[in-house]
Amino acid sequence: MALDRNVYAKLQEIVGERWVSEDPVHLETYRCASVQTASHYGPYDNRTPVPQAVVLPGSTEEVQQVVRLCNEYKIGFKASTTFWAAAGYVGDDNSIQLDMRRMNKWEIDEKNQIAVMEPYAIAAQIQAEAMKHGLSCAITGAGCSTSILASTAGWNGGGPSTISMGNNHDNLLGAEWVLANGEIVRLGSLGSGSGWFSGEGPVFSARAVLRGGQGMGGDMGVCTRIATKLSPWPGPDHLPTYGDAPAYKADLPDNFRAYTICFPSWDAWARGYTAFYDNEIIYLGHRQFNMFGRDLKAAMIKIITDPDKQLADLNWLLEDPETQRQNADMKIDTQIVIAGMTERDLAWKEAALDEILADVGAHKSEMMLTKEMVDYTLAYLIRMGHKNLNYVYAGSYEGNMAWSSNVFVDAEWMETVVALKKKWEDEHDYFARVGGDSGLGSMTRAGGGGSTGFEFFIHYDGSDIHSVKGTRKYMDYTPIWMKEHGFGQDLGRVNDTARREDGYSYTQEEHNKLFYGTPSAHLMKYQWKMREMMNPNHLGGTYYRTLDPDYRPDAD
Amino acid sequence: MSIKEYRDMQKRCSSCNFCKWIPFDKVKSARFAENCPAQAYYQYNAYSARGRFQLGLCLVNDELKPEGETQKVIQSCLSCGACDVACKICRYNLEPYEHNLELKREVVKAGNELPVQTKMAESLKEEHTMLIGRKMADRDAWARGLSLTDARAESCDVLFFPGCQYAYERPEEARKAVRVLQRAGVKVGYLFDQDACCGGRMHQMGLQDSFEKAASANIAIWENVQAGCIVTPCGDCYHALKRRYAQLGQKKPVLHLTELLDQLIKEGRLTFTKRIEKTVTYHDPCHLGRLGEAYEPWNGHEKKIRSQIVTWEPRRPRYNGVHGVYDAPRDILKAIPGITLVEMERIREYSFCCGAGGGCRDVDPELSKWTAGERMEEARATGADVLVTACPWCVKNLSEAHSGMEVTDVLTLVCEALEEGE
Ligand SMILES: Cc1cc2nc3c(=O)[nH]c(=O)nc-3n(C[C@H](O)[C@H](O)[C@H](O)COP(=O)(O)OP(=O)(O)OC[C@H]3O[C@@H](n4cnc5c(N)ncnc54)[C@H](O)[C@@H]3O)c2cc1C
């Protein structure tokens, strides 16, 4: 189906001929085959629809004109920036894809600790520039190849820096936003002409409207600029690395410490986490390397930190008694980085850490205390520049059993969930056998101690239909299991109706069924009202989650 | 291989887009963080290694044909290998560089090679050079009057393989190279009328048959040559000889001229007599650096362990880009009295291409020119007076960017510091 010639000509007029295409090679390369990418939010074994055109706008004004044109002709549009999220691809046949990469300007206001950026100033760039000013930015666990703007306005945004810097959305200091009807809104102090210092006014706040619960998912217009709060970076203005690719390491500055903490039980883990939070001692914290799996992590750490090793070395490493001992030691673990703003600060934090560890019976992993390991841990966590190790085993992963809840609740359920996943691993060959526990995630939030953002990784092979289908079975089963056990929504549950045979994103009817009766029902109803008000033509897909306030399940 | 054999790999690309950036641990500024010239210039996803995996899958599925815009995208790849290094920071089972080359072969298989490529292939076949208009009869003109060992008949320490650029376009430099080696006591051999193009660019453009014919002919000749090693001053030739010829059975050791010079300097066989008061920055040629790793034979198959972990049996060699030639040219520059070496942001395995790779000077001159300009801007940002490199293709492309900055090669500076004139 080709776009109306008038529309295409107008798009060319708006952005210039070079920056719009309907050639099949460009349309096909803006499709998300979700087995290959941000699978945990998207359709599953098919690709997203072919967009009608791909447009690369160069300015807010161009975006506005494109959006107006779409409204005039009732054509869907979806803005995306760094394309980690399946939500960033068009969700139906009559839509155009906006690739925001030409808008990549940024500036740093050192005095006010603010970075103002367009969509395609990616996290790695902003952080490199911020460090020159003694500042750093919150980087999502998805890593620094993602757009800070997208993670702030469009999608989730939690990661290792969450504990000290907050989620990306916590740091939003105003936005320039082309609404779904083409109107331009400037949020926070920006709207009153007083710069970017506050996201909450004077003038509109509307921060919650912009993002909604999870992020606007590209459904509520296009964000063209945001400002984000930066945090102090007590390290050098550039963090030089050494070592051979891919095992680059960063010399740990004297005022930093990087540890892997090993807990004797999940209860100790929960108590440790809350104490870390309460005492404000952690700069970066993530249960990170467990993404490789409970049985495999020590061996995998040895592989990824040694440029001469590779996956073929896994089996012999797993048989090595020393590696086995080290692995067992870090069964319930987490990675942390401590940063001292001064010598005294560091000494205090170290003392506090030791006291907490003694209190909960935890210790520092010996294997992870060598210079190479601490240097690797720092290089990894500071910018998440190796984040694609998520996909190391076979190229695809799904996240499930996700919870963003109180650590004491998590602690009670952990081993039950681990046992469930392990049972599937042992009984089937759908996904990698890693020892059940592949739970990963951030360590409490800046805005509320004691909660985690956790998920379990399922590593599968997107090119192997047996693996794909089996993983799908598991992903369909776990939400039912979670519901039976009184959990909230899972990533998987949100996904399962999305993973229809045609692979498109889901309809309002499906949303209704999905969200009715869940703990977050009111939020979804609120988002429904917001969407009706701000995007009445529904020109953006359905990732902004809504529940029709009039929906009743018996009417089905 | 055929493109169909890449199907699993295409599906295993996880769309992380790391292939668009230098390894993130190495990012020093927002300005010089991108690594793929084609992606940075044309911007559409298709130009990245990720996009190429997707379009490759469409070729396999018959959803796209290697023609029109698809062909243009495929042929815009500079075959510089930057995506490969970035991808392998996290992935052990993807080979984007090899896949990009396979795509180019698909274009050729479909009979869609460009007229300029056909001309280059014809020239290679008839005149043994891809430089259109050059004649085989003139190839050894540069060598006249030098007391070179005739490697067709006599043994030598090194067989000098100038490559087409030095043979035809930089004859003075080629002569100097030989004289410098001779001054250090090296017995330099040359093949005169049996010296021919390496054919490497054919390989980079997907004209595999032409490449293999040229390579096989050279390998057959070299089998009768008695030389300790083959030495070339060209980055492109180096890659062809070191990696691709080795794959075809060539067994003689291969050195880049800078490796040999570095060795001679360190052994005290060359001593500089003149100071050169200059601040220089060094540009790593892609085919000498990250693509300059030696070929390692492997004959194995994929094997899944622990249900779904994709690995290889036996262990497969992994080209990370780190074992290319990086230190020799730098050590030479540091050894020249008076020279101060300052580095650009993108160096070594994550260096940015000069724009001449993959045959793009001829196939996509617009991209090639832009890329050179981009690299020169990075060089200028260092504050250096001169950009120095070690490949004649880089010298040519970067000079033509007309950035106002001097561009030269390591050999030229070595000769100057040795006061090695004509
Ligand atoms: C392997 C993997 C690991 C992940 N780990 C984490 C994690 O640890 N923590 C976490 O929070 N998330 C995680 N995610 C999800 C992740 O948050 C998002 O994928 C990422 O933060 C945002 O993706 P992106 O920056 O590439 O943006 P995109 O994919 O470009 O966009 C994300 C969303 O924002 C919208 N959007 C993008 N740009 C604009 C714009 N200019 N205006 C309006 N809307 C826009 C898009 O339509 C899309 O819906 C992970 C995803 C993957 C695939």
Side-chain angles (χ1 to χ4, degrees):
Chain A
M1 188 171 73
L3 209 56
D4 183 313
R5 292 301 81 195
N6 269 337
V7 177
Y8 194 74
K10 282 184 185 167
L11 286 172
Q12 286 181 317
E13 228 170 81
I14 296 168
V15 294
E17 275 182 35
R18 180 170 174 189
W19 303 120
V20 53
S21 176
E22 55 180 353
D23 190 281
V25 72
H26 295 307
L27 304 185
E28 287 291 347
T29 45
Y30 283 92
R31 297 179 73 187
C32 169
S34 293
V35 287
Q36 306 163 347
T37 179
S39 39
H40 61 259
Y41 294 116
Y44 200 81
D45 52 3
N46 282 316
R47 285 168 285 178
T48 47
V50 182
Q52 294 300 306
V54 176
V55 180
L56 280 70
S59 67
T60 305
E61 290 65 35
E62 287 181 11
V63 171
Q64 179 179 44
Q65 288 177 52
V66 171
V67 170
R68 283 191 171 147
L69 187 70
C70 288
N71 273 276
E72 192 185 332
Y73 287 85
K74 303 281 179 294
I75 296 163
F77 63 90
K78 173 71 83 174
S80 199
T81 302
T82 34
F83 293 96
W84 272 60
Y89 295 81
V90 303
D92 63 61
D93 289 322
N94 186 35
S95 290
I96 60 169
Q97 177 79 56
L98 269 66
D99 178 344
M100 302 302 292
R101 59 172 286 137
R102 286 182 60 224
M103 297 183 66
N104 61 358
K105 292 196 268 309
W106 54 272
E107 65 194 70
I108 286 172
D109 171 355
E110 179 179 317
K111 190 167 154 223
N112 293 303
Q113 299 190 190
I114 292 172
V116 180
M117 66 198 75
E118 292 185 337
Y120 202 63
I122 67 159
Q125 294 174 294
I126 296 297
Q127 191 187 49
E129 296 298 337
M131 279 181 173
K132 295 175 187 168
H133 300 274
L135 297 166
S136 187
C137 54
I139 294 184
T140 153
C144 64
S145 73
T146 64
S147 150
I148 293 186
L149 181 146
S151 297
T152 303
W155 211 239
N156 196 14
S161 46
T162 296
I163 185 165
S164 68
M165 303 178 202
N167 268 357
N168 284 118
H169 61 85
D170 295 322
N171 295 309
L172 179 68
L173 294 174
E176 181 178 77
W177 178 15
V178 179
L179 299 183
N181 65 5
E183 211 176 306
I184 298 177
V185 169
R186 293 184 174 86
L187 301 186
S189 48
L190 181 70
S192 65
S194 31
W196 292 97
F197 69 90
S198 162
E200 304 288 6
V203 195
F204 313 108
S205 162
R207 213 152 60 146
V209 182
L210 170 75
R211 270 195 55 87
Q214 176 85 36
M216 67 165 143
D219 297 0
M220 299 287 277
V222 183
C223 208
T224 50
R225 263 193 312 168
I226 60 155
T228 187
K229 195 174 89 186
L230 299 172
S231 299
W233 161 246
D237 60 5
H238 165 62
L239 198 58
T241 48
Y242 66 92
D244 283 345
Y248 298 129
K249 299 167 185 96
D251 262 324
L252 196 74
D254 290 344
N255 57 331
F256 279 75
R257 300 287 181 270
Y259 300 121
T260 289
I261 305 296
C262 310
F263 298 92
S265 66
W266 286 110
D267 179 60
W269 169 84
R271 285 188 291 125
Y273 266 34
T274 39
F276 290 160
Y277 176 79
D278 289 343
N279 291 286
E280 299 184 6
I281 58 173
I282 308 290
Y283 192 70
L284 305 168
H286 222 228
R287 191 167 190 237
Q288 185 64 52
F289 299 134
N290 195 62
M291 70 185 178
F292 299 126
R294 176 178 286 180
D295 290 354
L296 273 52
K297 58 187 154 184
M300 279 304 294
I301 291 168
K302 289 184 181 184
I303 289 173
I304 61 177
T305 53
D306 179 347
D308 296 325
K309 290 204 174 67
Q310 50 172 281
L311 291 178
D313 298 311
L314 193 54
N315 272 344
W316 74 260
L317 276 167
L318 289 172
E319 280 162 23
D320 169 40
E322 175 70 355
T323 310
Q324 286 172 353
R325 191 188 58 73
Q326 291 162 329
N327 198 71
D329 188 44
M330 55 171 106
K331 178 176 166 190
I332 301 175
D333 67 337
T334 198
Q335 278 70 43
I336 58 168
V337 170
I338 289 178
M341 299 295 157
T342 61
E343 253 176 60
R344 275 184 66 204
D345 184 45
L346 181 66
W348 183 85
K349 283 174 176 163
E350 281 264 71
L353 174 68
D354 288 343
E355 213 171 290
I356 294 166
L357 298 191
D359 195 34
V360 303
H363 63 275
K364 298 165 187 163
S365 154
E366 217 177 287
M367 168 184 162
M368 300 301 286
L369 279 175
T370 62
K371 176 171 166 47
E372 291 234 313
M373 291 302 178
V374 296
D375 287 356
Y376 186 79
T377 305
L378 176 71
Y380 196 111
L381 292 184
I382 187 61
R383 58 175 74 86
M384 301 301 283
H386 298 239
K387 182 56 184 189
N388 199 23
L389 282 169
N390 273 35
Y391 295 110
V392 68
Y393 292 144
S396 296
Y397 102 96
E398 269 283 6
N400 83 334
M401 291 293 185
W403 46 50
S404 180
S405 67
N406 183 291
V407 279
F408 291 98
V409 177
D410 295 352
E412 263 191 42
W413 280 99
M414 275 297 188
E415 285 307 316
T416 312
V417 167
V418 168
L420 175 71
K421 178 159 175 266
K422 185 154 175 10
K423 185 167 177 289
W424 276 69
E425 284 178 10
D426 292 343
E427 289 177 2
H428 309 280
D429 59 357
Y430 303 143
F431 39 89
R433 200 154 41 81
V434 301
D437 181 9
S438 49
L440 157 148
S442 60
M443 172 192 278
T444 86
R445 303 215 156 153
S451 80
T452 48
F454 240 65
E455 69 183 280
F456 275 66
F457 275 25
I458 296 143
H459 310 271
Y460 67 103
D461 179 359
S463 72
D464 174 348
I465 195 69
H466 172 73
S467 175
V468 171
K469 290 205 159 155
T471 302
R472 179 176 172 149
K473 260 192 227 163
Y474 179 66
M475 294 299 293
D476 285 345
Y477 171 69
T478 48
I480 298 167
W481 185 93
M482 285 179 81
K483 195 172 175 188
E484 284 168 5
H485 291 78
F487 282 82
Q489 279 178 16
D490 181 27
L491 294 168
R493 167 126 48 111
V494 176
N495 269 348
D496 61 358
T497 44
R499 297 199 307 268
R500 298 178 308 169
E501 286 306 308
D502 60 8
Y504 293 5
S505 58
Y506 32 175
T507 61
Q508 185 64 54
E509 291 70 35
E510 287 165 328
H511 268 175
N512 291 345
K513 278 191 223 160
L514 205 60
F515 296 129
Y516 190 85
T518 61
S520 48
H522 288 305
L523 171 67
M524 302 304 165
K525 286 181 192 171
Y526 163 81
Q527 294 201 170
W528 192 90
K529 289 181 182 166
M530 282 301 162
R531 188 198 56 194
E532 290 307 296
M533 203 163 70
M534 311 200 60
N535 186 3
N537 290 326
H538 298 184
L539 299 177
T542 53
Y543 281 95
Y544 190 71
R545 292 167 192 172
T546 52
L547 164 58
D548 182 346
D550 298 328
Y551 172 76
R552 296 290 172 275
D554 38 312
D556 281 339
Chain B
M1 288 284 272
S2 88
I3 196 70
K4 288 201 168 68
E5 290 168 69
Y6 282 90
R7 181 200 160 273
D8 288 355
M9 197 189 286
Q10 290 158 345
K11 289 203 132 198
R12 285 176 185 150
C13 164
S14 37
S15 187
C16 69
N17 291 310
F18 277 34
C19 54
K20 296 174 180 170
W21 303 92
I22 63 170
F24 291 115
D25 292 320
K26 301 294 183 185
V27 171
K28 299 174 190 86
S29 76
R31 174 66 184 86
F32 300 117
E34 290 186 87
N35 69 348
C36 171
Q39 168 69 45
Y41 183 62
Y42 290 113
Q43 305 258 9
Y44 290 91
N45 255 351
Y47 291 91
S48 64
R50 160 64 188 159
R52 291 172 200 277
F53 274 133
Q54 274 178 300
L55 84 80
L57 187 59
C58 290
L59 292 183
V60 172
N61 292 344
D62 227 6
E63 291 158 332
L64 289 174
K65 299 252 176 279
E67 59 194 28
E69 181 73 4
T70 305
Q71 173 177 352
K72 179 184 178 320
V73 171
I74 292 173
Q75 290 176 327
S76 71
C77 171
L78 289 145
S79 303
C80 74
C83 57
D84 206 71
V85 170
C87 175
K88 290 174 179 171
I89 294 297
C90 294
R91 294 298 303 275
Y92 293 79
N93 34 35
L94 297 184
E95 299 289 343
Y97 174 68
E98 294 298 334
H99 178 258
N100 293 350
L101 288 175
E102 195 62 48
L103 288 177
K104 291 188 175 183
R105 285 179 213 130
E106 280 301 298
V107 173
V108 175
K109 275 188 214 160
N112 292 335
E113 67 186 45
L114 299 171
V116 65
Q117 293 176 323
T118 310
K119 271 196 198 155
M120 287 161 84
E122 278 166 11
S123 169
L124 180 64
K125 191 172 162 207
E126 279 152 28
E127 298 297 337
H128 303 284
T129 175
M130 282 182 283
L131 300 180
I132 297 164
R134 297 290 187 176
K135 298 284 170 224
M136 182 59 185
D138 304 331
R139 189 173 183 95
D140 60 4
W142 71 273
R144 284 178 205 141
L146 289 170
S147 47
L148 278 158
T149 302
D150 184 348
R152 292 168 298 190
E154 271 179 76
S155 70
C156 51
D157 296 337
V158 305
L159 173 66
F160 188 70
F161 185 81
C164 301
Q165 278 292 328
Y166 273 91
Y168 292 109
E169 304 206 350
R170 300 171 67 79
E172 295 309 321
E173 298 293 320
R175 294 166 72 81
K176 283 185 197 169
V178 168
R179 280 210 299 268
V180 167
L181 294 179
Q182 287 172 336
R183 180 163 156 171
V186 179
K187 188 175 173 195
V188 185
Y190 182 54
L191 278 168
F192 297 93
D193 65 351
Q194 288 185 8
D195 179 53
C197 172
C198 70
R201 295 205 148 217
M202 288 286 127
H203 172 75
Q204 291 180 38
M205 293 189 298
L207 286 90
Q208 193 64 14
D209 284 349
S210 298
F211 166 68
E212 286 185 16
K213 276 189 194 125
S216 307
N218 282 331
I219 293 170
I221 291 169
W222 297 348
E223 263 163 23
N224 301 320
V225 171
Q226 298 217 315
C229 66
I230 303 170
V231 171
T232 178
C234 172
D236 258 33
C237 297
Y238 182 78
H239 169 78
L241 272 49
K242 187 99 179 172
R243 178 90 67 92
R244 303 296 168 179
Y245 276 41
Q247 214 166 345
L248 298 172
Q250 200 291 114
K251 298 221 164 40
K252 286 198 170 50
V254 175
L255 287 181
H256 187 261
L257 179 65
T258 54
E259 291 179 289
L260 183 55
L261 290 176
D262 181 45
Q263 201 180 309
L264 297 172
I265 294 164
K266 285 176 180 157
E267 285 168 5
R269 289 162 69 182
L270 288 174
T271 310
F272 297 115
T273 48
K274 185 179 155 194
R275 286 183 72 80
I276 301 178
E277 300 293 348
K278 278 181 180 162
T279 302
V280 306
T281 190
Y282 177 71
H283 164 82
D284 288 287
C286 306
H287 286 83
L288 179 62
R290 64 180 154 249
L291 295 172
E293 294 179 312
Y295 170 72
E296 286 179 57
W298 180 74
N299 189 6
H301 57 92
E302 181 181 306
K303 184 187 173 201
K304 278 191 181 174
I305 56 172
R306 301 189 75 85
S307 300
Q308 294 296 346
I309 299 180
V310 178
T311 173
W312 316 100
E313 191 169 77
R315 212 172 177 274
R316 197 174 70 159
R318 193 166 135 77
Y319 300 100
N320 281 347
V322 292
H323 300 298
V325 178
Y326 301 114
D327 292 326
R330 286 180 170 80
D331 286 353
I332 295 172
L333 292 172
K334 286 180 205 159
I336 297 177
I339 282 194
T340 309
L341 174 65
V342 289
E343 294 284 8
M344 287 185 268
E345 289 193 17
R346 294 173 287 193
I347 52 169
R348 302 178 74 96
E349 72 273 13
Y350 54 98
S351 176
F352 194 74
C353 182
C354 73
C360 278
R361 262 182 72 84
D362 298 294
V363 171
D364 194 340
E366 180 185 320
L367 170 65
S368 177
K369 199 170 163 200
W370 176 85
T371 306
E374 186 69 4
R375 186 58 165 165
M376 289 311 295
E377 197 169 323
E378 186 176 351
R380 277 202 311 272
T382 63
D385 311 308
V386 187
L387 178 142
V388 191
T389 186
C391 172
W393 290 97
C394 301
V395 171
K396 191 176 170 78
N397 219 48
L398 294 172
S399 307
E400 289 173 12
H402 302 300
S403 65
M405 186 174 183
E406 186 187 338
V407 176
T408 189
D409 67 6
V410 176
L411 173 68
T412 307
L413 291 181
V414 166
C415 291
E416 197 182 328
L418 288 171
E419 296 178 277
E420 177 62 61
E422 253 307 290

